[in-house]
Amino acid sequence: MGSVDKTLFLLSRGGDTTIVRIYVDDIIFGGSSHALVSSFAERMSEEFEMSLMGELQFFLGLHIKQGLEGTFVHQAKYTRDIIKKFNMGDSKPMTTPMSTNTALDADEDGEAVDQKEFRGMIGSLLYLTVTRPDIQFAVCLCAHYQASPRTSHRQVVKRIFRYLKFTTELGLWYSSGSSLSLRGFSDADHAGCRIDRKSTSGTCQLLGTSLVSWSSRKQASVALSTTEAEYVAAASCCSQLLGMKATLSDFGLRFGRIPLLVDSTSAISVAKNPVLHSRTKHIDVRFHFLRDHYEKGDIDLIHVVSANQLADIFTKPLELQVEGVDNALIKGEIESQWTGLIALLV
């Protein structure tokens, strides 16, 4: 059993390894030895009443396509289904999920819309973000207004569906040639919320060139400066990296200092220089563990220019457009190697 993830099980025998992952009553497994994998399948069939579905192709609504060059994970069928469900099939496709000029607020004077339908649209889109990090920020922003949705909010949600109509086949590409180096990116949009002026933290974690985790979340308290907002976002990313490091240790992977790339030199200075802490006493104590883990050697804070900050799309509307690409290429799935975040930033 995994030391961190209790639904993960590993068996090593004679230099070969079998990896098993359990989700309620569904099990996925694989290994480096066909004999070891077959033995596990036979043993499980003897002990429990179960069906062996063969090579992994579908799991919890995800479509997994495996090849020699890597694995492509997408939700193309689910995307088409929700476009049809909410009557967006005849809408005009858009090249971005949200306009860069969009600034949502409560719009109390706006016309109210069907709350049940709006929540259904948001719920459907949230499940799609499992393989579509490019819509993460837009969906999470719209989700803030589920309690009292207005026409202006629904229009923004509809634009996300129009973007999905143009990019139905996008997903995540995991290259078999990717290295196993762990790194993280963190960014923040200071006082981005027009209602309570709270900032938005955006983080993502990569294993080599493969995007494995990401987040777009409004911070719990109001940040008094950009430095504070960036510092809080970096602390959140650090926490996620340490959790991933512990999980990956079950696979026999060991890491030294994990690079955490931040585009704010002042936030890095706060974490590295104890003198500056006299001016950051108001920041919640729980965020100061970032400096603690830097001193322990668990992470390495590195400055990255804003143009190369991958977490930027989790803090503001996506500025890059998916255009000038033939639909036939996009629908090539693995061959096209369009991969949500990575492909959109290349």
Side-chain angles (χ1 to χ4, degrees):
M1 181 183 292
S3 60
V4 177
D5 186 352
K6 302 305 179 182
T7 66
L8 173 69
F9 297 85
L10 301 99
L11 173 65
S12 296
R13 184 177 298 168
D16 290 314
T17 302
T18 296
I19 301 173
V20 181
R21 183 68 187 270
I22 300 175
Y23 185 85
V24 190
D25 59 349
D26 292 315
I27 301 176
I28 56 175
F29 60 96
S32 56
S33 167
H34 181 73
L36 200 58
V37 171
S38 299
S39 175
F40 170 79
E42 292 174 3
R43 179 68 182 275
M44 292 296 290
S45 298
E46 292 173 359
E47 295 287 338
F48 304 98
E49 183 179 345
M50 58 193 305
S51 301
L52 186 62
M53 307 304 293
E55 181 179 329
L56 180 64
Q57 295 182 336
F58 293 94
F59 186 69
L60 301 179
L62 306 181
H63 186 188
I64 297 98
K65 189 171 182 179
Q66 302 181 64
L68 295 177
E69 296 181 358
T71 301
F72 184 65
V73 183
H74 65 94
Q75 294 170 280
K77 181 181 182 301
Y78 176 78
T79 302
R80 288 190 289 267
D81 288 343
I82 62 174
I83 289 175
K84 181 180 179 180
K85 177 182 178 181
F86 294 105
N87 301 315
M88 296 297 295
D90 297 328
S91 60
K92 180 181 177 181
M94 297 296 290
T95 57
T96 58
M98 179 181 286
S99 170
T100 56
N101 298 323
T102 300
L104 289 180
D105 55 27
D107 192 15
E108 296 179 353
D109 296 328
E111 181 183 354
V113 298
D114 186 350
Q115 186 184 75
K116 183 178 179 180
E117 180 193 36
F118 187 83
R119 288 185 171 182
M121 297 172 81
I122 293 297
S124 299
L125 291 172
L126 283 173
Y127 183 65
L128 187 57
T129 60
V130 173
T131 59
R132 295 295 299 268
D134 51 320
I135 65 171
Q136 179 81 37
F137 172 78
V139 175
C140 289
L141 179 61
C142 293
H144 295 160
Y145 304 99
Q146 293 183 81
S148 182
R150 307 292 177 176
T151 300
S152 58
H153 305 144
R154 186 173 61 179
Q155 287 301 111
V156 176
V157 173
K158 284 186 174 182
R159 177 173 175 135
I160 300 176
F161 277 93
R162 294 167 64 187
Y163 169 72
L164 292 176
K165 185 179 178 182
F166 182 68
T167 59
T168 305
E169 306 293 334
L170 289 189
L172 294 170
W173 170 253
Y174 296 104
S175 173
S176 57
S178 174
S179 66
L180 295 177
S181 57
L182 185 61
R183 57 181 172 146
F185 292 82
S186 75
D187 196 17
D189 178 32
H190 179 237
C193 181
R194 298 181 64 182
I195 299 176
D196 54 20
R197 308 309 293 173
K198 291 180 180 179
S199 304
T200 300
S201 293
T203 67
C204 62
Q205 294 76 33
L206 294 91
L207 194 60
T209 58
S210 301
L211 179 67
V212 293
S213 178
W214 57 91
S215 171
S216 177
R217 185 172 301 171
K218 188 161 69 171
Q219 295 180 2
S221 57
V222 177
L224 299 181
S225 65
T226 301
T227 299
E228 181 181 343
E230 294 277 2
Y231 185 74
V232 171
S236 176
C237 186
C238 174
S239 176
Q240 182 69 12
L241 286 171
L242 294 176
M244 294 175 63
K245 179 181 179 180
T247 299
L248 290 170
S249 66
D250 289 331
F251 294 91
L253 299 176
R254 299 291 182 267
F255 301 94
R257 277 184 174 269
I258 303 174
L260 199 172
L261 292 89
V262 184
D263 60 4
S264 170
T265 54
S266 54
I268 295 176
S269 297
V270 169
K272 291 183 177 182
N273 190 347
V275 176
L276 291 177
H277 278 247
S278 61
R279 296 184 303 199
T280 57
K281 292 179 180 179
H282 62 285
I283 300 178
D284 197 327
V285 174
R286 63 195 174 105
F287 296 119
H288 285 305
F289 86 104
L290 174 66
R291 180 169 184 267
D292 183 41
H293 284 286
Y294 171 77
E295 291 182 340
K296 289 179 179 179
D298 294 327
I299 63 166
D300 189 14
L301 292 166
I302 301 174
H303 179 257
V304 60
V305 295
S306 297
N308 295 330
Q309 176 55 271
L310 299 187
D312 183 55
I313 71 166
F314 300 114
T315 63
K316 56 181 68 71
L318 184 66
E319 295 183 2
L320 296 179
Q321 294 186 351
V322 184
E323 61 182 354
V325 180
D326 192 295
N327 281 338
L329 292 178
I330 294 179
K331 293 179 180 178
E333 296 184 339
I334 288 182
E335 290 73 19
S336 69
Q337 296 187 17
W338 278 77
T339 66
L341 173 68
I342 304 302
L344 292 169
L345 293 176
V346 166

